[in-house]
Amino acid sequence: MSDFYGSIYNPDVLTCLANLSSDEVFTPPEVANQMLDLLPPEIWQDKTATFLDPACKSGVFLREIAKRLIEGLAEEIPDLQQRIDHIFQKQLYGIAITEITSLLSRRSLYCSKFPNSKYSISQFENASGNILYRRVPHTWQNGKCVFCGASQSEYDRGDDLETHAYEWIHTVRPEEIFGMKFDVIIGNPPYQLSDGGAQASSIPIYQKFVEQAQKLRPRFLIMIIPARWYSGGRGLNDFRSVMLTENKIRVLHDFSDSSICFPGVEIKGGVCYFLWERDTSGLCEVVNYISDNVPSSTLRRYLLEKGSDIFIRQNKAISIFQKVRQTLTRPFSSIVSTQRPFGLRTFEKGRKNIFPDAIKMYENGGIGYIPRSKVTINYSLIDTYKVFVSRAYGASENFPHQIIGKPILGIPGTCCSETYIMIGPFKNQEETKNVISYMQTKFFRFLVSLKKISQMASASVYEFVPMQDFSKSWIDEELYAKYNLIEEEIDFIDSMIKPMELGGVENEF
């Protein structure tokens, strides 16, 4: 049967298919098969097993499942056409995310956009087969959809445009869509939707697909999603808590660089796919990938460190974190400001030339000069020594990585917009420079990387970093010795963090 499918899909068009966007990403066949490999082999010989993809785009998951079942059920159902009819009509189900992806998915699975046509390899009585697409409405309340949080101003559209009201997450009773439950739910859901905020602000929705699937209690749930949920935030805190504490995730493949799975697609923070099991719980096999599709580390462990709510993404980082944590009495985050440290928004722009009673503001794209009266909070910190560091720093997803932007020494008479966060205040210039020397170490930035899952760096990403004596400057060798790091741990830090050029002086721009 593999020859049969090979003759139809050669070359494999789904490998070449362009993505809709970085929010709706097509899954390459090889990645789909790696995900399917997480299921127990005996499931491919089970003619009663049912499979659902609730977010069909290309139909690749259902197609690859079909290949495995056609081969696995050959002895039990020897007649090829009877076997195909049984698999396609009683085992495989999908819900497309748009009308066009419904046609594409049916073409991939049934070899025809319309499974009731003579070209379909299994004849259905209707034109949808078991791959549904129904245009469902958003349910608006106070300008937001109560199901997905989409902005009414963005998605309240006419019939000629997609509303992106995905059926799977726009119902309180997903079991009624097909009137059945499923043994396996697998997919690659849409990742986010615009919430109508400034600067193309968006909210994650992939977690809603996972949560909806869990409501149906399948035996197995496999999905590939952005990895940002590791650190919570933006509507992900409850999802993160459940995923990390119930110990139902038995395998987690973690990709720091999203392009390993999706060539040409950048998803900040990387992606992951997981196997969730209904009937078992316990240790999770965490598989890390750093720069290519070869595991850099595999370890069976609980996702949360004992006695805490901390998830350490990299297996090789756990021993380093534990050594540092034993002596951590005060985190560096205690001297890091909240967002908008002086009450000044990103769009605030100062004058280019100094004027009487002006203070220097580090702003988006450079520096400007503003009157002191513009500062609405932390007014007393204007005339202190402090450090400014960019709140957003993405650069490349590849390692080694710098992790944070270059710190800037802020002398008295300076402030910043919310483009930066502020660290301090400090007693004098020497102490401030010593803080900068610490921030420039690989040790410091490695500990930041344990919590920094996206380009944004709030105060919380500094929680694993211990405070030091800032009456002196710091270098990595001193820190490695202080925390008893062994050669293997130091080598791992070197592989993850690249050197930062010395600097951070007041006239950075």
Side-chain angles (χ1 to χ4, degrees):
M1 191 59 213
S2 58
D3 290 341
F4 168 76
Y5 254 98
S7 65
I8 297 175
Y9 301 97
N10 187 24
D12 193 338
V13 67
L14 301 191
T15 301
C16 309
L17 198 62
N19 289 300
L20 298 176
S21 70
S22 59
D23 302 332
E24 297 176 342
V25 183
F26 286 118
T27 311
E30 57 270 25
V31 174
N33 276 294
Q34 290 164 13
M35 295 167 65
L36 291 171
D37 287 343
L38 300 181
L39 292 168
E42 58 270 19
I43 203 165
W44 310 119
Q45 285 83 48
D46 184 355
K47 70 176 184 179
T48 68
T50 52
F51 302 80
L52 171 68
D53 178 356
C56 287
K57 302 185 192 78
S58 67
V60 65
F61 289 107
L62 297 178
R63 191 193 73 178
E64 297 306 312
I65 291 169
K67 289 182 181 180
R68 296 179 182 226
L69 290 173
I70 287 169
E71 182 176 342
L73 295 175
E75 289 188 12
E76 186 161 0
I77 311 176
D79 182 85
L80 177 58
Q81 189 58 56
Q82 290 181 9
R83 190 158 75 247
I84 290 174
D85 290 340
H86 175 84
I87 292 167
F88 287 13
Q89 298 184 22
K90 296 184 178 180
Q91 293 190 266
L92 303 182
Y93 300 82
I95 304 171
I97 63 170
T98 64
E99 184 173 10
I100 193 170
T101 60
S102 72
L103 300 175
L104 178 58
S105 296
R106 293 178 197 127
R107 178 64 180 83
S108 298
L109 184 62
Y110 306 132
C111 304
S112 172
K113 292 185 295 184
F114 306 108
N116 60 349
S117 76
K118 65 179 181 179
Y119 301 107
S120 177
I121 59 175
S122 183
Q123 290 293 310
F124 286 78
E125 294 182 357
N126 60 71
S128 297
N130 284 341
I131 299 178
L132 303 184
Y133 173 72
R134 287 189 285 255
R135 186 183 176 95
V136 300
H138 290 284
T139 302
W140 306 116
Q141 183 175 319
N142 299 324
K144 303 287 184 182
C145 176
V146 299
F147 287 104
C148 69
S151 166
Q152 184 172 5
S153 63
E154 294 282 332
Y155 294 103
D156 193 2
R157 302 170 170 177
D159 292 341
D160 56 332
L161 294 175
E162 292 288 352
T163 63
H164 300 284
Y166 306 111
E167 183 174 10
W168 181 244
I169 61 172
H170 283 75
T171 176
V172 294
R173 291 181 289 274
E175 69 278 4
E176 294 182 357
I177 296 176
F178 283 103
M180 60 186 293
K181 293 192 174 184
F182 296 91
D183 294 291
V184 178
I185 298 179
I186 185 169
N188 177 13
Y191 295 157
Q192 62 186 25
L193 284 176
S194 171
D195 63 359
Q199 299 177 338
S201 175
S202 58
I203 54 171
I205 60 168
Y206 56 87
Q207 78 281 7
K208 296 181 182 295
F209 281 79
V210 177
E211 292 167 338
Q212 198 79 312
Q214 290 170 333
K215 289 180 183 178
L216 262 65
R217 306 297 294 173
R219 288 169 56 200
F220 305 104
L221 169 61
I222 305 173
M223 285 199 179
I224 184 166
I225 58 178
R228 291 189 187 185
W229 67 269
Y230 296 164
S231 58
R234 206 76 211 274
L236 293 168
N237 289 338
D238 290 343
F239 175 73
R240 174 188 183 275
S241 178
V242 171
M243 293 285 277
L244 295 180
T245 59
E246 68 174 2
N247 296 323
K248 292 290 186 182
I249 299 180
R250 309 313 309 281
V251 183
L252 176 67
H253 285 248
D254 172 72
F255 301 83
S256 299
D257 182 356
S258 60
S259 68
I260 298 173
C261 291
F262 306 119
V265 177
E266 183 181 44
I267 300 170
K268 295 294 185 182
V271 297
C272 68
Y273 61 77
F274 62 86
L275 170 67
W276 178 96
E277 293 189 13
R278 180 191 65 198
D279 299 329
T280 65
S281 59
L283 296 174
C284 176
E285 181 180 279
V286 178
V287 186
N288 295 139
Y289 301 79
I290 301 298
S291 58
D292 54 40
N293 203 15
V294 177
S296 62
S297 175
T298 300
L299 183 66
R300 286 180 55 79
R301 61 184 175 100
Y302 287 109
L303 294 179
L304 291 181
E305 288 301 295
K306 188 175 181 180
S308 75
D309 65 348
I310 295 166
F311 172 60
I312 303 298
R313 183 175 191 175
Q314 300 292 340
N315 295 326
K316 292 181 180 179
I318 293 175
S319 61
I320 302 171
F321 167 76
Q322 290 173 339
K323 288 180 179 180
V324 173
R325 187 184 180 202
Q326 289 174 0
T327 61
L328 181 61
T329 55
R330 185 187 176 196
F332 191 83
S333 58
S334 64
I335 60 170
V336 179
S337 73
T338 58
Q339 182 178 340
R340 210 176 303 159
F342 291 92
L344 301 167
R345 301 298 303 271
T346 297
F347 54 74
E348 292 282 355
K349 293 290 184 180
R351 302 182 198 175
K352 293 305 177 185
N353 300 313
I354 196 167
F355 55 90
D357 199 35
I359 58 174
K360 180 184 289 186
M361 177 178 68
Y362 288 88
E363 61 188 27
N364 187 22
I367 58 173
Y369 296 91
I370 63 171
R372 286 175 178 261
S373 59
K374 273 218 168 187
V375 173
T376 58
I377 59 175
N378 290 325
Y379 188 90
S380 63
L381 299 182
I382 295 174
D383 293 315
T384 64
Y385 284 94
K386 54 264 180 186
V387 176
F388 302 126
V389 65
S390 176
R391 192 166 61 91
Y393 185 82
S396 169
E397 294 296 314
N398 297 323
F399 289 95
H401 198 294
Q402 187 170 295
I403 306 301
I404 60 173
K406 191 175 177 182
I408 301 167
L409 190 155
I411 64 172
T414 58
C415 68
C416 66
S417 72
E418 66 176 334
T419 298
Y420 296 87
I421 55 173
M422 187 202 75
I423 299 163
F426 304 106
K427 292 182 294 186
N428 51 50
Q429 182 168 298
E430 180 182 4
E431 183 179 55
T432 312
K433 287 185 174 181
N434 290 339
V435 172
I436 289 175
S437 73
Y438 182 44
M439 295 176 68
Q440 290 172 328
T441 64
K442 293 182 180 180
F443 174 85
F444 177 98
R445 291 178 287 123
F446 174 79
L447 293 174
V448 171
S449 75
L450 300 185
K451 290 205 72 174
K452 186 176 181 290
I453 198 70
S454 69
Q455 64 178 350
M456 303 308 294
S458 62
S460 64
V461 306
Y462 298 90
E463 288 177 354
F464 295 168
V465 182
M467 288 286 285
Q468 305 295 342
D469 174 9
F470 294 126
S471 66
K472 65 178 293 298
S473 63
W474 290 92
I475 60 174
D476 277 310
E477 288 71 20
E478 293 174 307
L479 294 162
Y480 295 155
K482 178 176 180 178
Y483 294 99
N484 300 311
L485 301 192
I486 62 175
E487 185 175 353
E488 182 180 0
E489 294 166 334
I490 295 171
D491 289 344
F492 179 62
I493 292 176
D494 284 341
S495 72
M496 297 293 288
I497 311 298
K498 69 180 182 181
M500 179 184 284
E501 293 180 6
L502 298 180
V505 295
E506 188 268 337
N507 60 345
E508 172 74 7
F509 292 98

